[in-house]
PDB file of all heavy atoms in Angstrom:
ATOM      1  N   ASP V   1       0.817  -1.211   0.000  1.00 87.00           N
ATOM      2  CA  ASP V   1       0.000   0.000   0.000  1.00 87.00           C
ATOM      3  C   ASP V   1       0.856   1.270   0.000  1.00 87.00           C
ATOM      4  O   ASP V   1       0.337   2.359  -0.200  1.00 87.00           O
ATOM      5  CB  ASP V   1      -0.926   0.022   1.226  1.00 87.00           C
ATOM      6  CG  ASP V   1      -1.953  -1.102   1.183  1.00 87.00           C
ATOM      7  OD1 ASP V   1      -2.315  -1.537   0.065  1.00 87.00           O
ATOM      8  OD2 ASP V   1      -2.377  -1.543   2.261  1.00 87.00           O
ATOM      9  N   ASN V   2       2.157   1.125   0.247  1.00 84.00           N
ATOM     10  CA  ASN V   2       3.068   2.266   0.234  1.00 84.00           C
ATOM     11  C   ASN V   2       3.645   2.413  -1.170  1.00 84.00           C
ATOM     12  O   ASN V   2       4.267   1.494  -1.698  1.00 84.00           O
ATOM     13  CB  ASN V   2       4.179   2.036   1.267  1.00 84.00           C
ATOM     14  CG  ASN V   2       5.094   3.213   1.416  1.00 84.00           C
ATOM     15  OD1 ASN V   2       5.646   3.710   0.434  1.00 84.00           O
ATOM     16  ND2 ASN V   2       5.283   3.655   2.639  1.00 84.00           N
ATOM     17  N   LYS V   3       3.458   3.579  -1.764  1.00 85.00           N
ATOM     18  CA  LYS V   3       3.837   3.794  -3.168  1.00 85.00           C
ATOM     19  C   LYS V   3       5.329   3.604  -3.442  1.00 85.00           C
ATOM     20  O   LYS V   3       5.722   3.151  -4.500  1.00 85.00           O
ATOM     21  CB  LYS V   3       3.410   5.181  -3.606  1.00 85.00           C
ATOM     22  CG  LYS V   3       1.913   5.331  -3.690  1.00 85.00           C
ATOM     23  CD  LYS V   3       1.538   6.732  -4.116  1.00 85.00           C
ATOM     24  CE  LYS V   3       0.124   6.857  -4.396  1.00 85.00           C
ATOM     25  NZ  LYS V   3      -0.907   7.157  -3.754  1.00 85.00           N
ATOM     26  N   SER V   4       6.194   3.940  -2.509  1.00 88.00           N
ATOM     27  CA  SER V   4       7.637   3.848  -2.745  1.00 88.00           C
ATOM     28  C   SER V   4       8.243   2.527  -2.273  1.00 88.00           C
ATOM     29  O   SER V   4       9.406   2.245  -2.532  1.00 88.00           O
ATOM     30  CB  SER V   4       8.362   5.005  -2.062  1.00 88.00           C
ATOM     31  OG  SER V   4       8.165   4.942  -0.663  1.00 88.00           O
ATOM     32  N   ALA V   5       7.458   1.690  -1.602  1.00 91.00           N
ATOM     33  CA  ALA V   5       7.993   0.492  -0.954  1.00 91.00           C
ATOM     34  C   ALA V   5       8.605  -0.509  -1.927  1.00 91.00           C
ATOM     35  O   ALA V   5       9.656  -1.075  -1.647  1.00 91.00           O
ATOM     36  CB  ALA V   5       6.917  -0.173  -0.110  1.00 91.00           C
ATOM     37  N   GLN V   6       7.978  -0.729  -3.066  1.00 92.00           N
ATOM     38  CA  GLN V   6       8.524  -1.719  -3.994  1.00 92.00           C
ATOM     39  C   GLN V   6       9.863  -1.259  -4.567  1.00 92.00           C
ATOM     40  O   GLN V   6      10.802  -2.042  -4.664  1.00 92.00           O
ATOM     41  CB  GLN V   6       7.545  -2.035  -5.117  1.00 92.00           C
ATOM     42  CG  GLN V   6       8.053  -3.176  -5.981  1.00 92.00           C
ATOM     43  CD  GLN V   6       7.013  -3.710  -6.940  1.00 92.00           C
ATOM     44  OE1 GLN V   6       5.949  -3.138  -7.110  1.00 92.00           O
ATOM     45  NE2 GLN V   6       7.324  -4.819  -7.560  1.00 92.00           N
ATOM     46  N   ALA V   7       9.979   0.012  -4.915  1.00 94.00           N
ATOM     47  CA  ALA V   7      11.241   0.532  -5.446  1.00 94.00           C
ATOM     48  C   ALA V   7      12.358   0.438  -4.406  1.00 94.00           C
ATOM     49  O   ALA V   7      13.490   0.064  -4.725  1.00 94.00           O
ATOM     50  CB  ALA V   7      11.066   1.975  -5.910  1.00 94.00           C
ATOM     51  N   ILE V   8      12.045   0.735  -3.158  1.00 94.00           N
ATOM     52  CA  ILE V   8      13.050   0.654  -2.100  1.00 94.00           C
ATOM     53  C   ILE V   8      13.394  -0.803  -1.813  1.00 94.00           C
ATOM     54  O   ILE V   8      14.549  -1.133  -1.533  1.00 94.00           O
ATOM     55  CB  ILE V   8      12.585   1.420  -0.858  1.00 94.00           C
ATOM     56  CG1 ILE V   8      12.460   2.909  -1.220  1.00 94.00           C
ATOM     57  CG2 ILE V   8      13.539   1.229   0.308  1.00 94.00           C
ATOM     58  CD1 ILE V   8      11.759   3.752  -0.190  1.00 94.00           C
ATOM     59  N   SER V   9      12.413  -1.702  -1.931  1.00 95.00           N
ATOM     60  CA  SER V   9      12.687  -3.137  -1.788  1.00 95.00           C
ATOM     61  C   SER V   9      13.673  -3.595  -2.862  1.00 95.00           C
ATOM     62  O   SER V   9      14.589  -4.372  -2.582  1.00 95.00           O
ATOM     63  CB  SER V   9      11.404  -3.952  -1.904  1.00 95.00           C
ATOM     64  OG  SER V   9      10.552  -3.687  -0.842  1.00 95.00           O
ATOM     65  N   ASN V  10      13.479  -3.114  -4.081  1.00 96.00           N
ATOM     66  CA  ASN V  10      14.405  -3.451  -5.168  1.00 96.00           C
ATOM     67  C   ASN V  10      15.805  -2.925  -4.876  1.00 96.00           C
ATOM     68  O   ASN V  10      16.797  -3.613  -5.140  1.00 96.00           O
ATOM     69  CB  ASN V  10      13.898  -2.902  -6.497  1.00 96.00           C
ATOM     70  CG  ASN V  10      12.657  -3.621  -6.981  1.00 96.00           C
ATOM     71  OD1 ASN V  10      12.400  -4.766  -6.621  1.00 96.00           O
ATOM     72  ND2 ASN V  10      11.862  -2.944  -7.791  1.00 96.00           N
ATOM     73  N   LEU V  11      15.905  -1.727  -4.319  1.00 95.00           N
ATOM     74  CA  LEU V  11      17.202  -1.162  -3.941  1.00 95.00           C
ATOM     75  C   LEU V  11      17.877  -2.030  -2.883  1.00 95.00           C
ATOM     76  O   LEU V  11      19.073  -2.323  -2.985  1.00 95.00           O
ATOM     77  CB  LEU V  11      17.017   0.267  -3.430  1.00 95.00           C
ATOM     78  CG  LEU V  11      18.249   0.939  -2.845  1.00 95.00           C
ATOM     79  CD1 LEU V  11      19.291   1.205  -3.932  1.00 95.00           C
ATOM     80  CD2 LEU V  11      17.869   2.234  -2.150  1.00 95.00           C
ATOM     81  N   LEU V  12      17.131  -2.463  -1.888  1.00 96.00           N
ATOM     82  CA  LEU V  12      17.674  -3.341  -0.844  1.00 96.00           C
ATOM     83  C   LEU V  12      18.124  -4.666  -1.450  1.00 96.00           C
ATOM     84  O   LEU V  12      19.208  -5.170  -1.149  1.00 96.00           O
ATOM     85  CB  LEU V  12      16.650  -3.565   0.264  1.00 96.00           C
ATOM     86  CG  LEU V  12      17.030  -4.542   1.368  1.00 96.00           C
ATOM     87  CD1 LEU V  12      18.338  -4.159   2.041  1.00 96.00           C
ATOM     88  CD2 LEU V  12      15.897  -4.626   2.387  1.00 96.00           C
ATOM     89  N   TYR V  13      17.302  -5.232  -2.316  1.00 97.00           N
ATOM     90  CA  TYR V  13      17.646  -6.484  -2.995  1.00 97.00           C
ATOM     91  C   TYR V  13      18.965  -6.332  -3.754  1.00 97.00           C
ATOM     92  O   TYR V  13      19.858  -7.183  -3.653  1.00 97.00           O
ATOM     93  CB  TYR V  13      16.516  -6.872  -3.945  1.00 97.00           C
ATOM     94  CG  TYR V  13      16.806  -8.106  -4.767  1.00 97.00           C
ATOM     95  CD1 TYR V  13      16.509  -9.366  -4.277  1.00 97.00           C
ATOM     96  CD2 TYR V  13      17.383  -8.008  -6.030  1.00 97.00           C
ATOM     97  CE1 TYR V  13      16.774 -10.507  -5.019  1.00 97.00           C
ATOM     98  CE2 TYR V  13      17.654  -9.138  -6.780  1.00 97.00           C
ATOM     99  CZ  TYR V  13      17.351 -10.383  -6.275  1.00 97.00           C
ATOM    100  OH  TYR V  13      17.624 -11.497  -7.006  1.00 97.00           O
ATOM    101  N   GLU V  14      19.113  -5.260  -4.519  1.00 96.00           N
ATOM    102  CA  GLU V  14      20.337  -5.021  -5.290  1.00 96.00           C
ATOM    103  C   GLU V  14      21.540  -4.794  -4.382  1.00 96.00           C
ATOM    104  O   GLU V  14      22.647  -5.257  -4.680  1.00 96.00           O
ATOM    105  CB  GLU V  14      20.136  -3.823  -6.222  1.00 96.00           C
ATOM    106  CG  GLU V  14      19.145  -4.105  -7.335  1.00 96.00           C
ATOM    107  CD  GLU V  14      18.661  -2.849  -8.037  1.00 96.00           C
ATOM    108  OE1 GLU V  14      19.142  -1.735  -7.741  1.00 96.00           O
ATOM    109  OE2 GLU V  14      17.749  -2.994  -8.898  1.00 96.00           O
ATOM    110  N   THR V  15      21.339  -4.115  -3.268  1.00 95.00           N
ATOM    111  CA  THR V  15      22.418  -3.893  -2.301  1.00 95.00           C
ATOM    112  C   THR V  15      22.905  -5.225  -1.743  1.00 95.00           C
ATOM    113  O   THR V  15      24.120  -5.479  -1.669  1.00 95.00           O
ATOM    114  CB  THR V  15      21.931  -2.979  -1.154  1.00 95.00           C
ATOM    115  OG1 THR V  15      21.532  -1.725  -1.704  1.00 95.00           O
ATOM    116  CG2 THR V  15      23.019  -2.762  -0.121  1.00 95.00           C
ATOM    117  N   LEU V  16      21.981  -6.092  -1.363  1.00 95.00           N
ATOM    118  CA  LEU V  16      22.358  -7.413  -0.847  1.00 95.00           C
ATOM    119  C   LEU V  16      23.046  -8.243  -1.926  1.00 95.00           C
ATOM    120  O   LEU V  16      24.051  -8.912  -1.649  1.00 95.00           O
ATOM    121  CB  LEU V  16      21.117  -8.143  -0.318  1.00 95.00           C
ATOM    122  CG  LEU V  16      20.509  -7.588   0.966  1.00 95.00           C
ATOM    123  CD1 LEU V  16      19.111  -8.135   1.187  1.00 95.00           C
ATOM    124  CD2 LEU V  16      21.405  -7.882   2.153  1.00 95.00           C
ATOM    125  N   GLU V  17      22.516  -8.195  -3.128  1.00 95.00           N
ATOM    126  CA  GLU V  17      23.089  -8.965  -4.234  1.00 95.00           C
ATOM    127  C   GLU V  17      24.540  -8.543  -4.519  1.00 95.00           C
ATOM    128  O   GLU V  17      25.408  -9.388  -4.738  1.00 95.00           O
ATOM    129  CB  GLU V  17      22.222  -8.781  -5.473  1.00 95.00           C
ATOM    130  CG  GLU V  17      22.579  -9.732  -6.602  1.00 95.00           C
ATOM    131  CD  GLU V  17      21.575  -9.630  -7.742  1.00 95.00           C
ATOM    132  OE1 GLU V  17      21.594  -8.598  -8.451  1.00 95.00           O
ATOM    133  OE2 GLU V  17      20.799 -10.582  -7.909  1.00 95.00           O
ATOM    134  N   ARG V  18      24.816  -7.234  -4.510  1.00 94.00           N
ATOM    135  CA  ARG V  18      26.189  -6.734  -4.721  1.00 94.00           C
ATOM    136  C   ARG V  18      27.151  -7.252  -3.662  1.00 94.00           C
ATOM    137  O   ARG V  18      28.342  -7.377  -3.900  1.00 94.00           O
ATOM    138  CB  ARG V  18      26.216  -5.200  -4.716  1.00 94.00           C
ATOM    139  CG  ARG V  18      25.854  -4.561  -6.017  1.00 94.00           C
ATOM    140  CD  ARG V  18      26.220  -3.081  -6.052  1.00 94.00           C
ATOM    141  NE  ARG V  18      25.798  -2.315  -4.901  1.00 94.00           N
ATOM    142  CZ  ARG V  18      24.596  -1.770  -4.735  1.00 94.00           C
ATOM    143  NH1 ARG V  18      23.675  -1.907  -5.661  1.00 94.00           N
ATOM    144  NH2 ARG V  18      24.321  -1.076  -3.649  1.00 94.00           N
ATOM    145  N   LYS V  19      26.621  -7.549  -2.493  1.00 92.00           N
ATOM    146  CA  LYS V  19      27.461  -8.034  -1.392  1.00 92.00           C
ATOM    147  C   LYS V  19      27.470  -9.554  -1.319  1.00 92.00           C
ATOM    148  O   LYS V  19      27.957 -10.135  -0.366  1.00 92.00           O
ATOM    149  CB  LYS V  19      26.985  -7.408  -0.079  1.00 92.00           C
ATOM    150  CG  LYS V  19      27.160  -5.891  -0.104  1.00 92.00           C
ATOM    151  CD  LYS V  19      26.592  -5.229   1.099  1.00 92.00           C
ATOM    152  CE  LYS V  19      26.641  -3.726   0.990  1.00 92.00           C
ATOM    153  NZ  LYS V  19      27.948  -3.136   0.869  1.00 92.00           N
ATOM    154  N   GLY V  20      26.911 -10.204  -2.343  1.00 91.00           N
ATOM    155  CA  GLY V  20      26.936 -11.662  -2.424  1.00 91.00           C
ATOM    156  C   GLY V  20      25.876 -12.360  -1.604  1.00 91.00           C
ATOM    157  O   GLY V  20      25.991 -13.553  -1.315  1.00 91.00           O
ATOM    158  N   ILE V  21      24.807 -11.649  -1.244  1.00 92.00           N
ATOM    159  CA  ILE V  21      23.750 -12.215  -0.416  1.00 92.00           C
ATOM    160  C   ILE V  21      22.489 -12.379  -1.253  1.00 92.00           C
ATOM    161  O   ILE V  21      22.007 -11.431  -1.866  1.00 92.00           O
ATOM    162  CB  ILE V  21      23.438 -11.306   0.793  1.00 92.00           C
ATOM    163  CG1 ILE V  21      24.691 -11.070   1.633  1.00 92.00           C
ATOM    164  CG2 ILE V  21      22.300 -11.877   1.626  1.00 92.00           C
ATOM    165  CD1 ILE V  21      25.258 -12.294   2.289  1.00 92.00           C
ATOM    166  N   ASN V  22      21.943 -13.592  -1.257  1.00 92.00           N
ATOM    167  CA  ASN V  22      20.690 -13.854  -1.957  1.00 92.00           C
ATOM    168  C   ASN V  22      19.517 -13.502  -1.058  1.00 92.00           C
ATOM    169  O   ASN V  22      19.556 -13.741   0.148  1.00 92.00           O
ATOM    170  CB  ASN V  22      20.593 -15.334  -2.350  1.00 92.00           C
ATOM    171  CG  ASN V  22      21.633 -15.714  -3.374  1.00 92.00           C
ATOM    172  OD1 ASN V  22      21.927 -14.955  -4.288  1.00 92.00           O
ATOM    173  ND2 ASN V  22      22.206 -16.891  -3.217  1.00 92.00           N
ATOM    174  N   SER V  23      18.491 -12.954  -1.659  1.00 95.00           N
ATOM    175  CA  SER V  23      17.284 -12.626  -0.907  1.00 95.00           C
ATOM    176  C   SER V  23      16.087 -12.744  -1.839  1.00 95.00           C
ATOM    177  O   SER V  23      16.239 -12.905  -3.049  1.00 95.00           O
ATOM    178  CB  SER V  23      17.381 -11.215  -0.321  1.00 95.00           C
ATOM    179  OG  SER V  23      17.526 -10.261  -1.349  1.00 95.00           O
ATOM    180  N   GLU V  24      14.919 -12.686  -1.248  1.00 95.00           N
ATOM    181  CA  GLU V  24      13.668 -12.725  -2.007  1.00 95.00           C
ATOM    182  C   GLU V  24      12.805 -11.561  -1.578  1.00 95.00           C
ATOM    183  O   GLU V  24      12.714 -11.256  -0.387  1.00 95.00           O
ATOM    184  CB  GLU V  24      12.915 -14.030  -1.738  1.00 95.00           C
ATOM    185  CG  GLU V  24      13.625 -15.258  -2.238  1.00 95.00           C
ATOM    186  CD  GLU V  24      12.842 -16.533  -1.952  1.00 95.00           C
ATOM    187  OE1 GLU V  24      11.866 -16.494  -1.165  1.00 95.00           O
ATOM    188  OE2 GLU V  24      13.208 -17.568  -2.516  1.00 95.00           O
ATOM    189  N   ILE V  25      12.141 -10.938  -2.545  1.00 96.00           N
ATOM    190  CA  ILE V  25      11.215  -9.844  -2.257  1.00 96.00           C
ATOM    191  C   ILE V  25       9.799 -10.399  -2.239  1.00 96.00           C
ATOM    192  O   ILE V  25       9.389 -11.127  -3.142  1.00 96.00           O
ATOM    193  CB  ILE V  25      11.329  -8.737  -3.314  1.00 96.00           C
ATOM    194  CG1 ILE V  25      12.737  -8.142  -3.324  1.00 96.00           C
ATOM    195  CG2 ILE V  25      10.284  -7.651  -3.058  1.00 96.00           C
ATOM    196  CD1 ILE V  25      12.964  -7.123  -4.423  1.00 96.00           C
ATOM    197  N   ARG V  26       9.062 -10.039  -1.200  1.00 93.00           N
ATOM    198  CA  ARG V  26       7.682 -10.484  -1.038  1.00 93.00           C
ATOM    199  C   ARG V  26       6.854  -9.319  -0.488  1.00 93.00           C
ATOM    200  O   ARG V  26       7.386  -8.440   0.170  1.00 93.00           O
ATOM    201  CB  ARG V  26       7.593 -11.634  -0.046  1.00 93.00           C
ATOM    202  CG  ARG V  26       8.498 -12.789  -0.380  1.00 93.00           C
ATOM    203  CD  ARG V  26       7.682 -13.993  -0.544  1.00 93.00           C
ATOM    204  NE  ARG V  26       8.519 -15.138  -0.842  1.00 93.00           N
ATOM    205  CZ  ARG V  26       8.252 -15.947  -1.821  1.00 93.00           C
ATOM    206  NH1 ARG V  26       7.220 -15.750  -2.591  1.00 93.00           N
ATOM    207  NH2 ARG V  26       9.019 -16.995  -2.054  1.00 93.00           N
ATOM    208  N   THR V  27       5.565  -9.372  -0.712  1.00 89.00           N
ATOM    209  CA  THR V  27       4.693  -8.400  -0.059  1.00 89.00           C
ATOM    210  C   THR V  27       4.368  -8.918   1.337  1.00 89.00           C
ATOM    211  O   THR V  27       4.647 -10.073   1.665  1.00 89.00           O
ATOM    212  CB  THR V  27       3.380  -8.186  -0.848  1.00 89.00           C
ATOM    213  OG1 THR V  27       2.594  -9.377  -0.768  1.00 89.00           O
ATOM    214  CG2 THR V  27       3.661  -7.821  -2.298  1.00 89.00           C
ATOM    215  N   THR V  28       3.745  -8.077   2.120  1.00 87.00           N
ATOM    216  CA  THR V  28       3.381  -8.498   3.475  1.00 87.00           C
ATOM    217  C   THR V  28       2.178  -9.439   3.479  1.00 87.00           C
ATOM    218  O   THR V  28       1.716  -9.845   4.540  1.00 87.00           O
ATOM    219  CB  THR V  28       3.101  -7.274   4.372  1.00 87.00           C
ATOM    220  OG1 THR V  28       2.154  -6.418   3.722  1.00 87.00           O
ATOM    221  CG2 THR V  28       4.378  -6.511   4.650  1.00 87.00           C
ATOM    222  N   ASP V  29       1.702  -9.818   2.308  1.00 87.00           N
ATOM    223  CA  ASP V  29       0.677 -10.856   2.194  1.00 87.00           C
ATOM    224  C   ASP V  29       1.297 -12.216   1.885  1.00 87.00           C
ATOM    225  O   ASP V  29       0.580 -13.200   1.717  1.00 87.00           O
ATOM    226  CB  ASP V  29      -0.321 -10.522   1.073  1.00 87.00           C
ATOM    227  CG  ASP V  29      -1.178  -9.322   1.418  1.00 87.00           C
ATOM    228  OD1 ASP V  29      -1.412  -9.072   2.616  1.00 87.00           O
ATOM    229  OD2 ASP V  29      -1.617  -8.628   0.479  1.00 87.00           O
ATOM    230  N   GLU V  30       2.619 -12.274   1.777  1.00 89.00           N
ATOM    231  CA  GLU V  30       3.300 -13.493   1.330  1.00 89.00           C
ATOM    232  C   GLU V  30       4.315 -14.017   2.348  1.00 89.00           C
ATOM    233  O   GLU V  30       5.384 -14.477   1.980  1.00 89.00           O
ATOM    234  CB  GLU V  30       4.023 -13.213   0.007  1.00 89.00           C
ATOM    235  CG  GLU V  30       3.109 -12.760  -1.098  1.00 89.00           C
ATOM    236  CD  GLU V  30       3.866 -12.383  -2.358  1.00 89.00           C
ATOM    237  OE1 GLU V  30       4.825 -11.590  -2.274  1.00 89.00           O
ATOM    238  OE2 GLU V  30       3.487 -12.898  -3.422  1.00 89.00           O
ATOM    239  N   TYR V  31       3.996 -13.976   3.615  1.00 89.00           N
ATOM    240  CA  TYR V  31       4.899 -14.494   4.633  1.00 89.00           C
ATOM    241  C   TYR V  31       5.011 -16.011   4.520  1.00 89.00           C
ATOM    242  O   TYR V  31       4.056 -16.693   4.170  1.00 89.00           O
ATOM    243  CB  TYR V  31       4.386 -14.181   6.038  1.00 89.00           C
ATOM    244  CG  TYR V  31       4.288 -12.719   6.374  1.00 89.00           C
ATOM    245  CD1 TYR V  31       3.127 -12.196   6.917  1.00 89.00           C
ATOM    246  CD2 TYR V  31       5.360 -11.868   6.179  1.00 89.00           C
ATOM    247  CE1 TYR V  31       3.033 -10.865   7.256  1.00 89.00           C
ATOM    248  CE2 TYR V  31       5.270 -10.531   6.516  1.00 89.00           C
ATOM    249  CZ  TYR V  31       4.110 -10.039   7.048  1.00 89.00           C
ATOM    250  OH  TYR V  31       4.015  -8.718   7.378  1.00 89.00           O
ATOM    251  N   ASN V  32       6.187 -16.532   4.828  1.00 87.00           N
ATOM    252  CA  ASN V  32       6.361 -17.966   5.042  1.00 87.00           C
ATOM    253  C   ASN V  32       7.532 -18.160   5.990  1.00 87.00           C
ATOM    254  O   ASN V  32       8.299 -17.237   6.241  1.00 87.00           O
ATOM    255  CB  ASN V  32       6.527 -18.740   3.723  1.00 87.00           C
ATOM    256  CG  ASN V  32       7.798 -18.411   2.999  1.00 87.00           C
ATOM    257  OD1 ASN V  32       8.884 -18.576   3.540  1.00 87.00           O
ATOM    258  ND2 ASN V  32       7.684 -17.948   1.769  1.00 87.00           N
ATOM    259  N   GLU V  33       7.655 -19.346   6.517  1.00 87.00           N
ATOM    260  CA  GLU V  33       8.647 -19.596   7.571  1.00 87.00           C
ATOM    261  C   GLU V  33      10.045 -19.920   7.052  1.00 87.00           C
ATOM    262  O   GLU V  33      10.911 -20.300   7.820  1.00 87.00           O
ATOM    263  CB  GLU V  33       8.164 -20.708   8.508  1.00 87.00           C
ATOM    264  CG  GLU V  33       8.040 -22.063   7.874  1.00 87.00           C
ATOM    265  CD  GLU V  33       6.716 -22.316   7.157  1.00 87.00           C
ATOM    266  OE1 GLU V  33       5.873 -21.431   7.040  1.00 87.00           O
ATOM    267  OE2 GLU V  33       6.565 -23.457   6.695  1.00 87.00           O
ATOM    268  N   ASN V  34      10.316 -19.735   5.779  1.00 88.00           N
ATOM    269  CA  ASN V  34      11.585 -20.155   5.185  1.00 88.00           C
ATOM    270  C   ASN V  34      12.742 -19.177   5.355  1.00 88.00           C
ATOM    271  O   ASN V  34      13.774 -19.361   4.736  1.00 88.00           O
ATOM    272  CB  ASN V  34      11.392 -20.418   3.689  1.00 88.00           C
ATOM    273  CG  ASN V  34      10.449 -21.570   3.450  1.00 88.00           C
ATOM    274  OD1 ASN V  34      10.347 -22.475   4.266  1.00 88.00           O
ATOM    275  ND2 ASN V  34       9.746 -21.530   2.348  1.00 88.00           N
TER     276      ASN V  34
END
């Protein structure tokens, strides 16, 4: 519901990726225990 949240999530994802860390982007409707 936050207009800038997806773009900032992508920035965080790219920051982690540059540092060799894998991550997954999900909305707050897509929680899982993994």
Side-chain angles (χ1 to χ4, degrees):
D1 295 332
N2 185 307
K3 292 179 172 91
S4 62
Q6 187 169 10
I8 296 169
S9 294
N10 291 336
L11 173 68
L12 175 56
Y13 176 87
E14 292 165 5
T15 300
L16 290 165
E17 191 173 72
R18 277 194 312 275
K19 296 175 186 299
I21 303 296
N22 294 321
S23 60
E24 294 180 348
I25 299 175
R26 306 239 181 229
T27 69
T28 52
D29 292 332
E30 301 175 309
Y31 297 130
N32 67 58
E33 65 275 5
N34 296 331

